Amino acid sequence: MTGGRGAVQTLTASGFEQTALAPGALVRFSPGTIHGWSARAI
């Protein structure tokens, strides 16, 4: 992520997780993970 703020939501067999996003954030998830994201401009 290069600017703004947001979050990525993931869903796996282990359950739901939400990870905050900010400039420089890197989020990794395994194949088969259902994911979505939301962003807010600063």
Side-chain angles (χ1 to χ4, degrees):
M1 186 160 175
T2 60
R5 300 241 184 269
V8 63
Q9 297 86 29
T10 56
L11 180 61
T12 66
S14 299
F16 173 82
E17 185 174 335
Q18 179 165 304
T19 304
L21 298 175
L26 175 65
V27 179
R28 301 175 88 185
F29 43 87
S30 59
T33 300
I34 299 170
H35 62 282
W37 60 272
S38 61
R40 289 175 271 148
I42 339 184

